[in-house]
Amino acid sequence: MSAATLLKSGKPFDCSDNKYALEGPRVWVKVPFLDDRLPPGTVEVQGDNNGLTTMQVHALLDNGTLLSSRFSEQEVIDSWRPKGHYGLAVPGTDNPELRSRITHVYLAIDEPKVASSISLIQLASKEKWDGLKLPLSIMFGVLCGMAIMPLFYHAFFYGALRYSFMLWHSAMIAATVVYTFSSSGLIFLAFPGTGLLTKMLINYWALAIAVAASGVFLVRFVEQGKIAPWLRTGILVSSFLPVIVTALVLRINDGYDMEARNYYHASFLPAFFIVLYAMGHALRRGSRAIWYQIVGWTPIVMFGLDRVARGMDLYIGWPALDYGLYFALVMETIILALGVANRIFHLRKQHKSTLRKQVELTLLADTDGLTMMNNRRSFERAFRQNQRDHRYSHLAIIDIDFFKRVNDRYGHEVGDEVLRVVGRLLDGTGHFAARIGGEEFTLLIKDDGREKRRNYPANELAEICEALIKAVHEEVPEIREPVTFSVGVAAIARRVTLRSVMATADRRLYDAKGNGRNQIVWIDISASKPASPAGTASV
């Protein structure tokens, strides 16, 4: 039906509470034109541009003349205003004489998809909104830029930290930015060919995905045990409900489908209420991380409840609330980014504490409790490592002569002090030293190129034993007689086992003891014992 035919038909316009429940390929809206209440200059019709196609704007003069303008879908797109509105000039309002004669404006909306395309219609100053378009676009661009910054933070740190809640927070941020970018109208600056139906579907899907990601983020972000298992399940189910409903019921058919849109908006309500309960629940359980959700999400939930009520056409509400939601979304991403950084800090602190404890336990397992030097376990590991890198050329077993007599005569405290002095000095030799039991110590002697020298490593060990005798004498003055040492030495050949090398060194140690102690034996002398056996050195 054309505007002229509509006026001739005399069909009444519905002004009841049920006036938005309309069906059909075209909806006509009649708006009184009160010239004295409108700002000067050209007047435009504004409304929600979600899902619109072609439109017509007609101005009825006091003499019954119609001034008409018809707009294609692309022209409606090009007339976009920030915050998802269109702005179509009312014909004749650019002429003051004609403007004063306009009585009504008739608006034809073809195939409307949402009630807000009708309920939010208003007359406004075209000059004012032309001037606001740039600063508002800059404002929304800044908001998108602020919201997207945490994504770079997550991308930088996720590769090293691998915390799953960082991925879900990134998904929340991405969906929030997409929603802000699309619903504010910035999408038409970047992608001028975007259809209004495409924009509407992007808005709906972005919000649904953001809520789904926020549910997973919540259960992954809050400390373990702070949310009961049954509540975790409720959070996940309710947060994915909008995605399921969007996929199942948001069917864009010919005309305006009120019920599908109501189902879509109603699907957010369980998530809102369960999240509110979960935040209080986690707080009562002593969660510290939940404070970031409380600060960041409470305004979102409040504005979200308002948006759901308006989306279900329960009331029209104030346009300023839309700006509040945009700011709340951006502030939420920044607040939660701080929360993520704080959570990572505490997790890293816990991780370092755990690692430190593991290192301490490893040290305790590898350290002799009395002398604080390596024990037999770490000695055997060092020998196995030596089979690969060949750092050590000889193994020496060092035994304190007549150590039992020291304990019996001077007491175990003095004997323990002797062991500590010996262990401390052997640790400072530069070789790998370990206490393997009682008064026995081992040295893995470094292969530093000196093994080709005459009597190596006997001369090196003789210097060590001399230093040991001197150190015990100076640091344990209770012992009046010298404390001496017997040493058995074995070369470490390639592909030799620890057992065979230890057996050789141990046999030569017994040779040293059997030959009078206080000496180093580095060759086998068990078969013959001359007065001055070859391969011995006395200290």
Side-chain angles (χ1 to χ4, degrees), residues 6 29 38 43 54 60 67 72 82 90 131 161 180 256 304 315 349 375 391 446 458 495 517:
L6 174 70
V29 181
L38 292 170
V43 175
T54 54
L60 179 65
L67 305 177
S72 66
V90 177
L161 302 178
T180 304
Y256 163 50
Y315 78 108
K349 189 176 179 180
N375 60 12
R391 294 180 58 197
K446 284 187 177 179
R495 298 187 181 86
R517 291 183 170 84

Side-chain angles (χ1 to χ4, degrees), residues 156-187:
F156 182 78
F157 285 104
Y158 179 75
L161 302 178
R162 299 286 178 178
Y163 294 129
S164 61
F165 59 77
M166 298 176 70
L167 290 179
W168 291 104
H169 189 228
S170 297
M172 287 174 54
I173 294 172
T176 299
V177 170
V178 168
Y179 173 76
T180 304
F181 181 76
S182 175
S183 63
S184 66
L186 293 180
I187 191 171

Side-chain angles (χ1 to χ4, degrees), residues 452-479:
K452 295 182 180 180
R453 297 181 184 178
R454 183 177 177 84
N455 295 336
Y456 183 84
N459 293 339
E460 174 97 359
L461 289 167
E463 293 175 1
I464 292 173
C465 289
E466 182 179 356
L468 289 173
I469 294 171
K470 182 178 179 182
V472 172
H473 176 71
E474 292 177 349
E475 298 184 35
V476 192
E478 294 89 345
I479 303 177

Side-chain angles (χ1 to χ4, degrees), residues 96-205:
E97 182 180 350
L98 288 178
R99 170 178 160 150
S100 63
R101 298 175 55 194
I102 298 175
T103 60
H104 291 85
V105 174
Y106 291 86
L107 184 67
I109 304 174
D110 295 334
E111 299 179 358
K113 303 297 188 298
V114 294
S116 56
S117 296
I118 305 167
S119 63
L120 297 183
I121 287 176
Q122 63 178 0
L123 300 179
S125 167
K126 185 176 187 303
E127 181 180 2
K128 172 186 174 182
W129 282 95
D130 283 342
L132 287 174
K133 189 171 185 177
L134 178 60
L136 287 178
S137 297
I138 293 174
M139 182 194 74
F140 282 117
V142 171
L143 290 177
C144 288
M146 292 172 61
I148 208 170
M149 285 174 61
L151 282 178
F152 298 103
Y153 171 86
H154 291 335
F156 182 78
F157 285 104
Y158 179 75
L161 302 178
R162 299 286 178 178
Y163 294 129
S164 61
F165 59 77
M166 298 176 70
L167 290 179
W168 291 104
H169 189 228
S170 297
M172 287 174 54
I173 294 172
T176 299
V177 170
V178 168
Y179 173 76
T180 304
F181 181 76
S182 175
S183 63
S184 66
L186 293 180
I187 191 171
F188 298 124
L189 287 177
F191 307 101
T194 303
L196 295 171
L197 179 59
T198 301
K199 167 186 169 287
M200 183 179 77
L201 293 177
I202 290 174
N203 293 348
Y204 285 176
W205 273 106

Side-chain angles (χ1 to χ4, degrees), residues 299-336:
I300 296 289
V301 172
M302 297 299 104
F303 283 115
L305 290 172
D306 165 74
R307 178 61 66 91
V308 167
R310 287 189 287 144
M312 297 175 68
D313 303 312
L314 300 180
Y315 78 108
I316 295 177
W318 301 294
L321 292 174
D322 290 330
Y323 292 103
L325 178 60
Y326 288 124
F327 279 101
L329 287 171
V330 173
M331 291 308 299
E332 177 261 354
T333 62
I334 296 173
I335 291 169
L336 287 189

Side-chain angles (χ1 to χ4, degrees), residues 319-359:
L321 292 174
D322 290 330
Y323 292 103
L325 178 60
Y326 288 124
F327 279 101
L329 287 171
V330 173
M331 291 308 299
E332 177 261 354
T333 62
I334 296 173
I335 291 169
L336 287 189
L338 295 175
V340 167
N342 180 267
R343 185 82 176 102
I344 289 172
F345 171 77
H346 285 288
L347 287 173
R348 294 292 292 172
K349 189 176 179 180
Q350 293 174 4
H351 182 63
K352 288 181 180 179
S353 177
T354 302
L355 286 179
R356 185 168 57 252
K357 290 178 180 178
Q358 290 176 347
V359 169

Side-chain angles (χ1 to χ4, degrees), residues 245-275:
V245 171
T246 302
L248 293 179
V249 306
L250 193 61
R251 306 295 186 186
I252 305 302
N253 303 317
D254 290 341
Y256 163 50
D257 190 345
M258 167 82 80
E259 291 184 0
R261 187 164 175 264
N262 286 345
Y263 290 141
Y264 169 81
H265 285 90
S267 67
F268 288 85
L269 292 174
F272 289 159
F273 291 119
I274 289 178
V275 164

